[in-house]
Every structure is written in C-alpha cells, then in structure tokens.
Amino acid sequence: MQKKWLKWLLVVVTVVLGSTLAKATVHADDSLQKVKERGVLKVAVAPDYPPFAFQVNEHGKSKDVGMDIEVAKQIAKDLNVKLQLKNMDFSSVLVAVQTGKVDLALGGINPTPAREQNADFSNIYYYGGQSFLINKTDVNKFKNQKSLKGQKVGTQTGSMQQTLAKKYLTDSKLVSMDKTTDLVLAIKTHKVNAVGVEKPVAQAYVENDPDLKMIPADYKLDKKETGFAAAMPKGATSLQTAVNQSLDKIAKQHLMPQYLKTAAKYMKVNTVNTSMWHYWKYFFDGLKYTLLISVCAVAGGIILGVLLALMRLSKWKVLSWPAISYVEVVRGTPMMVQVLLVYFGLGILINIPALPAGIIAVTLNSAAYVSEIIRGGINSVAKGQKEAAQSLGLSKTDALHYIILPQAFKNIWPALGNEFISVIKESSIVSIIGVTDLVYELNVVRADTYRGVAPIVVVMAIYFIITFTLTRLLNYWEGKMKHD
C-alpha cells in the first residue's frame, strides 16, 4: 500500500515539475511574441554618453540621438513595431532588463561574464576600445596609463571602466560617480586626474571641449571587454535571435559608420548654442515634474501621515505596531533605496511607470516623517482640551475633528512647512529611475552642452526661488494662525 502511494506521489511530482518546466520554456520563447503583440519595443538607454546615446534640443524639445539610438531604431523597424526609449541612469539599465521594465538595454554595454550571469546578450555590434580623459593643463604630466600611478582616476559606477580600473589600477585612487558628466566636471575642477571612458566617448569630448585631452589605456582586453552588445532578459531566446538578425543586417550594409556620422552631426548641433536660455524648455519641463511630484507627495503624505499617527496613538497593538514598524523602516533606510525598491522591486509584481513610482516612493517616505510630526502635535494639545470636549458630550471622533487636530496643526505648522520644503528638494532623487525632473534635465543639459557648472547654477536658482517663495507663504499663514 505504501509503495503504491509513493508511486502516485512520484507521478504527481513529475507532472507538476514537467508542467512548470514546460511553462518556463513557453515563457522563454514568447519574448518576441510579446513585443509584437504589444506593438512596442521598450529599450533602456542612459542618454549622457555621446556619441552612443545623448539628447539634442530640437525645436525646443529634447530628442534622444546617437549611434545606439540608431541601432534601436533599426531593430524596431525590422520587428515592425514602434520604438519606446526609457531614459535612466546607466547603473539602472541592466536592472530594468532583469525586472522586465524593458525588452532591451543599449548604450555602450560590454557583455562581460559577470553581466552574462544576470542577462543575455546579442552578438557584439561595435568594438570601441578604452581611453582616459585628462585636463589639458595636465597634458605634459600624464602621457600614458603608467603615469596615472598614485593619481585619482574616476569611472562611471557599474561600468566596464570601473571593473578595469579596480583590476589594473591598483596603485591609483579610484573614484566612481553615476554620471559621465559629473566625472568630466571633476576633471575640469581637478577633483580627479583622469577619467576612464570608451575611446569614441573620449574622442567626442575632446572634439567638443577644448579643456580636455585624451591618453590611451593599456589594458589587456578580450573582445567582450571592448565590444558593445544589446542586453535582454535571461531566456529571451526568440528576441535574441531577432535582434541578432538586425545586427547582422546592420553589419552587412555597413550602417555603423553612417550611424556615427549622424551622431557627430547632432553633437555639433548641440555645441552651436550652449547658452542656458537656449535650453529653457528643458528646465521648464523639469520644473513641472518637480512641482507635480512635490504636490502629490505632500498631499498624499499628509493623508497617510494622519492615518499612521492615529494608528500609532491607538491603544490597540494590532494598529500601533504596524505603524511603528513602518515609520522605523522608512526612517532607517535611504530614500534612494526606497525609490529603487518601488520601481524595480514592485515592478516584478506590477509594472509601474517611472513617474507614478517616483510619486509613490516620495509620498511613502514623507508620510513617515509627517506622521511623527502630527503625533507630536496631537500630544502637545493640553489634556484639558480633551476633557472639556468630553464634558460637552462630544464623541472621540468629533473631539479629534473639531478640537484636537485643529490645535495640533497650528502647533506643528512650522515643522510641516520644513517637511514640505524637504520634499521639494529630496524629490530630486527620482531622477535615477528616469523621471525627468529638474535634476534629470540638469544632467541632460550638461551632457549636451559639455558645460559643467552653468546648468547647476540655473537649477540651484530655480530651487531657491521655489523654496524661498514657499517659505514666505508658510510664514504668512503661520502669522494668520497666531492672529486667529
């Protein structure tokens, strides 16, 4: 009887495993089908890496251009679908592929063995090479890679250059930043002595920025460490095959030199007029998104904050413990991590676009701090007020509504005002997932114009005007409350 039971168990396990594997196989094979059914190919790029991917100001509107953008267009054309570009930091593009936010990632991505553990890659479509950018005043000081011994060398976070620097420049002081534009500014201000970049990128910067020079890198590299490939989710074999067919077509028709010429033409367009006024639309668009995120986060933060504060003050532990846990977790973790968790972590369960994800993350963060401010405000109301409300026969809800909360908000108004101002400034963190707020547009303008400081000054002035105006308004209302 026992043997018979074991046989049936074995059959059930075999059927379940078989169906699971079959589903997995079907899932792996339907990657191309999903793109065609959707009619859209979603591609992640980091548009701060000329000539591969960058933006130009065309009739007041930003436009993604570059060699990799042309490759993406050709792939979408061959698949007979529309192309949708998702802009984000370079350190996020492979995460977007892994979490299914996009179908492909392009932008100077080297298919290294470490990256191949988490993503599949197309055939290599371009071989670049490695170089270092240096300040022109150091041209006699640094002539080759050996001369960088003991010097500060910068690389982009998560890039192949960072890996190579850790491996080969063990005697140098390594510095990593998220943006190539930040690294270039670091060279100009002598914060670092050299920056490792792809050779075409170094050539692009030297041709458009007279303050920079380039020296060769002497790394011993294999093809995967110098070649570029498209990244896609693990098991997306049908999409991988289709992408390789497009790349073969590009190679046979010798389209890559033509793509580079097109990119060079756009780069010259960018440097014709590098005044900040020429890019006013960029800053205006960034301001709109910054204000939208801030208003939504403040409104949502107050509503959720009141709810959390009341839960925490409740005598029922089933309500107070979750509120305490939530506040402690949010206050104990950086907002950047929370933004990444909402966008990429929840993205595994539900596909949330970048802007709603940014608003949700900032709102959830603000609610934790607002709840503590409100809790302090409620506790600051004298007990006599509660007792007076009870003696008048008011219910707990009415006492809270008409007696406690109005006085609490009057007491905490300055603290709430500081929180609103903090939300406006800290919401800039959403730029890491591609939300086009002020800081995102700041980096785009810096990459397009090769000007490191001027866009920073403009954005700083805009933030100051917003926060100063808000501070004056809050002070005005605070005075009105005291007068009342």
Side-chain angles (χ1 to χ4, degrees):
M1 183 67 185
Q2 189 176 6
K3 287 183 178 179
K4 191 175 180 180
W5 182 83
L6 286 173
K7 282 182 180 178
W8 277 109
L9 179 63
L10 183 62
V11 170
V12 171
V13 171
T14 305
V15 170
V16 171
L17 286 176
S19 62
T20 304
L21 289 173
K23 284 182 180 177
T25 304
V26 170
H27 178 72
D29 287 336
D30 69 354
S31 55
L32 178 60
Q33 185 184 347
K34 281 184 176 177
V35 172
K36 290 194 171 182
E37 287 177 352
R38 193 193 312 132
V40 175
L41 178 69
K42 294 186 285 187
V43 179
V45 294
D48 63 343
Y49 208 51
F52 301 115
F54 57 105
Q55 292 187 320
V56 293
N57 182 355
E58 193 171 77
H59 308 300
K61 293 183 178 179
S62 58
K63 178 183 176 182
D64 292 311
V65 296
M67 189 188 79
D68 283 330
I69 305 300
E70 296 299 320
V71 171
K73 286 180 181 175
Q74 185 62 50
I75 294 171
K77 182 181 177 182
D78 292 341
L79 295 179
N80 197 27
V81 296
K82 292 181 180 177
L83 174 64
Q84 184 181 38
L85 296 171
K86 298 278 189 179
N87 295 339
M88 57 189 71
D89 279 0
F90 180 77
S91 57
S92 298
V93 294
L94 287 180
V95 183
V97 168
Q98 286 179 268
T99 54
K101 288 287 183 185
V102 296
D103 304 304
L104 295 176
L106 289 166
I109 303 174
N110 308 109
T112 63
R115 288 173 175 166
E116 284 177 335
Q117 293 179 11
N118 299 306
D120 283 343
F121 286 89
S122 68
N123 296 332
I124 291 174
Y125 59 86
Y126 184 78
Y127 290 99
Q130 302 295 325
S131 293
F132 292 101
L133 281 171
I134 61 171
N135 194 305
K136 73 172 184 180
T137 58
D138 295 330
V139 70
N140 295 322
K141 188 176 177 183
F142 307 124
K143 294 186 177 295
N144 50 44
Q145 183 174 313
K146 289 182 180 177
S147 61
L148 298 176
K149 185 177 181 179
Q151 305 299 321
K152 282 188 177 179
V153 178
T155 55
Q156 191 175 25
T157 304
S159 67
M160 166 56 67
Q161 292 73 37
Q162 186 183 33
T163 305
L164 292 173
K166 286 180 179 177
K167 184 176 180 180
Y168 293 101
L169 302 180
T170 53
D171 295 325
S172 300
K173 300 172 185 174
L174 304 183
V175 178
S176 63
M177 298 182 186
D178 286 338
K179 298 283 185 182
T180 304
T181 47
D182 292 332
L183 291 164
V184 170
L185 181 59
I187 297 176
K188 290 184 170 185
T189 54
H190 297 281
K191 300 294 183 187
V192 298
N193 303 109
V195 170
V197 292
E198 301 282 350
K199 189 174 180 180
V201 176
Q203 289 173 332
Y205 272 100
V206 170
E207 288 173 4
N208 291 280
D209 192 330
D211 294 332
L212 299 173
K213 294 291 182 184
M214 60 185 285
I215 60 174
D218 301 327
Y219 299 128
K220 295 178 181 177
L221 305 172
D222 61 29
K223 287 187 174 181
K224 288 189 175 182
E225 291 174 321
T226 59
F228 296 164
M232 58 202 81
K234 274 285 186 185
T237 52
S238 56
L239 180 60
Q240 186 182 38
T241 303
V243 170
N244 284 336
Q245 288 173 352
S246 287
L247 296 178
D248 290 342
K249 181 180 177 181
I250 290 171
K252 286 178 182 175
Q253 296 183 4
H254 304 289
L255 295 176
M256 206 59 79
Q258 183 181 325
Y259 292 165
L260 277 172
K261 281 185 180 178
T262 304
K265 185 180 70 177
Y266 278 120
M267 290 173 71
K268 291 188 183 300
V269 170
N270 267 350
T271 53
V272 168
N273 187 348
T274 60
S275 69
M276 292 299 100
W277 180 249
H278 185 62
Y279 286 85
W280 72 268
K281 188 78 167 44
Y282 284 58
F283 297 117
F284 181 67
D285 290 341
L287 175 62
K288 286 192 296 186
Y289 280 107
T290 294
L291 292 178
L292 174 65
I293 294 166
S294 302
V295 170
C296 292
V298 167
I302 290 176
I303 295 170
L304 190 55
V306 170
L307 182 63
L308 286 167
L310 295 178
M311 288 173 63
R312 184 157 184 177
L313 291 169
S314 172
K315 295 178 181 177
W316 298 346
K317 290 185 177 177
V318 70
L319 292 177
S320 62
W321 283 15
I324 293 171
S325 303
Y326 176 84
V327 171
E328 293 302 324
V329 169
V330 171
R331 291 199 306 184
T333 53
M335 190 191 286
M336 178 187 286
V337 176
Q338 295 160 16
V339 171
L340 293 174
L341 179 65
V342 171
Y343 186 58
F344 293 118
L346 294 182
I348 297 173
L349 303 174
I350 180 172
N351 190 12
I352 307 174
L355 178 59
I359 291 174
I360 291 171
V362 177
T363 300
L364 293 176
N365 180 278
S366 178
Y369 292 93
V370 170
S371 73
E372 287 299 277
I373 295 171
I374 293 174
R375 185 172 69 88
I378 292 174
N379 287 334
S380 69
V381 177
K383 284 186 179 179
Q385 297 290 319
K386 298 175 187 175
E387 293 168 358
Q390 289 174 354
S391 65
L392 290 172
L394 293 177
S395 65
K396 286 187 177 179
T397 305
D398 287 341
L400 186 70
H401 186 197
Y402 296 108
I403 306 295
I404 308 301
L405 282 181
Q407 294 186 62
F409 270 100
K410 188 181 289 185
N411 293 339
I412 64 176
W413 187 253
L416 274 180
N418 288 335
E419 174 60 21
F420 298 160
I421 291 170
S422 295
V423 167
I424 292 172
K425 292 185 289 185
E426 292 174 3
S427 65
S428 61
I429 199 70
V430 299
S431 63
I432 62 171
I433 58 173
V435 179
T436 53
D437 72 331
L438 271 172
V439 171
Y440 179 91
E441 297 293 358
L442 152 70
N443 287 318
V444 169
V445 174
R446 290 172 67 199
D448 290 356
T449 61
Y450 304 95
R451 296 183 67 178
V453 179
I456 295 175
V457 174
V458 172
V459 169
M460 181 183 286
I462 293 173
Y463 270 113
F464 176 75
I465 292 170
I466 297 171
T467 55
F468 184 78
T469 305
L470 181 60
T471 302
R472 296 297 101 186
L473 285 173
L474 290 170
N475 289 344
Y476 172 77
W477 284 109
E478 185 181 351
K480 291 268 293 179
M481 286 181 179
K482 286 180 179 177
H483 183 70
D484 293 341

